[in-house]
């Protein structure tokens, strides 16, 4: 079987967008499919670590240059930025490619449609897309040499592969952001003069909270996240959680109450319960050294290895995935061979990080103190691939 010339990518989050940018440099056609018709601001933060930066720079250094305009430098040599800013930098680059034929390839961006079927006949993959729910559009059929599922922890491609669903991590996340104005308290306005993470709540069993300060790049912007292992109902919000949490600093409690009360109502609703993918030895033992792809279909990012949000490595691992897949395609080997090699090469490193994130998350939610990563592990991790 010859080396591939075209690809279909499902999911236009950061991993799918970066995969599109990378593969467009070496394939003749890349089709990116996203079920959502619009791209509103959402999420809290994206921690871009040195290993993620290394991956971005291998494909296109201009991505990192653009991110530096909106992100804040971290002590580890990374960037902290609002999640949607990361997505939008990548999205704008994909849109530029989609409106102009580049020398290296052509990108098609299809939004507002989901796939209704995938057919892998051993020589190519055909995806059928349904309409946008308006009932007046004909199905679209798209054919390519292989398909990459980048559609997150609740991946439909993963489900098509017959792989187990993600499992509950034992926690629920809330995420949001506000713009601090003159009508806010003096104490809250003073937070804007603090560091990147001016407010933290750690060491409390079942509750963890961080507030991120983006005032330097986005005036007045604070983003926040809350993680809890407490029981959640439809009426649970960060405000109700705060009422039952033993925070020793009354000043900190008051700041958080003001931040949450200033947030838009939809930010106070919980995300779906935090889910991760099982990366136990028992689960992986039946996959022949891969993480679940087969035939002409593979997975990357959260669709392949969603991990606990402990040290912010999920997105960085996805960017590494893209680079390793890119390197395998460049070798000009057969599509079946390169997809297998891609997963087999990534699995040991991803498994090691996955297990580390699980252990650290469980310790954090038990109320344990946040400990730095062991030096040797940290050096190995941030060195990238």
């Amino acid at each position: 079987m010859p080396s591939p010339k075209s690809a279909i990518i499902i999911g236009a989050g950061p991993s799918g967008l970066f995969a599109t940018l990378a593969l467009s440099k070496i394939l003749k056609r890349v089709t990116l499919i996203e079920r959502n018709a619009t791209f509103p601001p959402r999420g809290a933060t994206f921690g871009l670590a040195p290993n993620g930066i290394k991956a971005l720079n291998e494909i296109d250094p201009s991505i990192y240059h653009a991110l530096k305009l909106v992100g804040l430098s971290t002590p580890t040599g990374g960037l902290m930025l609002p999640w949607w800013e990361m997505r939008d930098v990548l999205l704008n680059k994909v849109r530029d490619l989609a409106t102009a034929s580049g020398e290296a390839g052509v990108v098609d961006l299809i939004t507002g449609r989901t796939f209704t079927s995938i057919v892998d006949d051993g020589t190519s993959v055909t995806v059928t897309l349904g309409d946008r729910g308006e009932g007046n559009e004909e199905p679209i059929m798209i054919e390519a040499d292989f398909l990459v599922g980048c559609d997150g922890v609740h991946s439909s491609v993963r489900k098509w592969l017959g792989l187990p669903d993600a499992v509950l991590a034992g926690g629920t996340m809330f995420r949001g952001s506000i713009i601090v104005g003159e009508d806010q308290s003096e104490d809250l306005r003073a937070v804007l003069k603090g560091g990147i993470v001016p407010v933290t709540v750690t060491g409390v069993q079942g509750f963890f909270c961080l507030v991120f300060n983006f005032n330097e790049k986005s005036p007045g912007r604070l983003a926040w996240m809350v993680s809890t292992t407490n029981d959640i109902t439809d009426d649970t919000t960060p405000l109700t959680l705060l009422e039952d949490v033993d925070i020793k600093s009354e000043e900190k409690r008051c700041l958080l109450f003001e931040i949450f009360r200033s947030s838009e109502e939809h930010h106070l609703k919980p995300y779906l319960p935090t889910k991760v993918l099982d990366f136990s030895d028992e689960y992986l033992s039946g996959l022949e050294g891969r993480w679940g792809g087969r035939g002409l279909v593979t997975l990357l990012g959260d669709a392949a290895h969603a991990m606990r949000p402990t040290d912010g490595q999920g997105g960085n691992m996805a960017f590494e995935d893209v680079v390793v897949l890119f390197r395998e395609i460049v070798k000009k080997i057969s599509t079946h061979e390169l997809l297998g090699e891609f997963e087999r090469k990534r699995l040991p490193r991803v498994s090691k990080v996955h297990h580390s994130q699980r252990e650290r998350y469980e310790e954090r939610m038990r109320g344990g103190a946040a400990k730095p990563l062991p030096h040797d592990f940290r050096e190995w991790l941030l060195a990238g691939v």
Side-chain angles (χ1 to χ4, degrees), residues 191-207:
V191 169
L192 298 174
K193 300 176 182 178
I196 298 177
V197 189
V199 183
T200 65
V201 177
T202 60
V204 178
Q205 185 167 354
F207 184 88

Side-chain angles (χ1 to χ4, degrees), residues 158 163-164 167 277-292 347 351 354-355 358:
R158 183 178 180 84
L163 298 171
V167 297
L277 293 176
D278 179 10
F279 250 54
S280 65
D281 293 338
E282 180 181 3
Y283 163 66
L284 294 173
S285 64
L287 297 178
E288 300 179 348
R290 299 182 63 172
W291 56 41
L347 187 56
S351 294
H354 201 284
H355 295 329
R358 183 195 68 230

Side-chain angles (χ1 to χ4, degrees), residues 11-22 24-25 32 39 46 48 52-53 55-57 59-67 70 81-98 107 109 300 315-316 318-319 322:
S15 63
L17 291 164
F18 184 47
T20 300
L21 294 172
S24 69
K25 293 179 176 293
L32 174 60
F39 296 86
F46 192 110
L48 182 61
I53 293 171
L56 293 175
N57 283 338
I59 301 302
D60 183 355
S62 73
I63 296 173
Y64 179 54
H65 293 317
L67 292 173
V70 294
L81 63 161
W83 184 93
W84 64 90
E85 296 277 17
M86 164 64 77
R87 180 204 61 198
D88 288 354
V89 165
L90 297 169
L91 177 61
N92 289 336
K93 287 185 173 291
V94 168
R95 282 172 166 163
D96 288 344
L97 288 176
V107 170
L109 173 61
L300 63 77
N316 294 286
F319 291 164
V322 171

Side-chain angles (χ1 to χ4, degrees), residues 9-13 17 31-40 87 91 94-95 98 107-115 129-134 137 140 142:
I9 297 173
I10 306 290
L17 291 164
T31 303
L32 174 60
I33 301 166
E34 167 57 42
R35 66 178 181 177
N36 293 310
T38 60
F39 296 86
R87 180 204 61 198
L91 177 61
V94 168
R95 282 172 166 163
V107 170
D108 290 329
L109 173 61
I110 300 174
T111 61
R113 302 185 79 141
T114 58
F115 72 84
L129 302 181
D131 65 28
R132 294 180 172 86
E134 299 171 0
E137 294 175 305
I140 297 176
I142 301 169

